[in-house]
Amino acid sequence: MADAFTMSVPTDARYRVLASEIAGKFVELVGGTSADGAALGSTVGEALDRAATESPADDVVLEFRADADGVGVTVRHAGRSAVVTHPLPARNT
């Protein structure tokens, strides 16, 4: 399992939902619980919703990474970026 990957999604609500679900599953794949996945998925969803409101025509790039401290997602859109993190204290690298 790779500990990092990048994806691009349209700002259309149908794709934003999928990106949030992928964020949640990524957390679970790297050792988090389903609750950890739901928490990160929700936070990523909020970041995607803000991006879609700011500039609905542009795609959003999500950069996922996992390390000893947890999971981070950098959300890049229309020249701006935000970092969403979720700690996973029991993660083994």
Side-chain angles (χ1 to χ4, degrees):
M1 169 66 197
D3 285 346
F5 72 96
T6 301
M7 66 183 283
S8 177
V9 295
T11 55
D12 183 295
R14 296 172 295 176
Y15 299 103
R16 294 193 321 258
V17 168
L18 290 174
S20 296
E21 291 175 8
I22 289 169
K25 290 300 179 188
F26 180 65
V27 170
E28 292 180 39
L29 287 171
V30 297
T33 65
S34 60
D36 291 323
L40 183 68
S42 176
T43 306
V44 167
E46 292 167 5
L48 289 167
D49 289 345
R50 279 192 303 277
T53 300
E54 292 171 0
S55 181
D58 296 329
D59 285 356
V60 179
V61 175
L62 299 139
E63 299 168 352
F64 293 81
R65 69 187 177 296
D67 58 28
D69 296 325
V71 176
V73 182
T74 302
V75 180
R76 298 185 191 282
H77 177 72
R80 296 182 182 181
S81 66
V83 177
V84 176
T85 60
H86 188 81
L88 296 176
R91 178 165 166 26
N92 296 321
T93 56

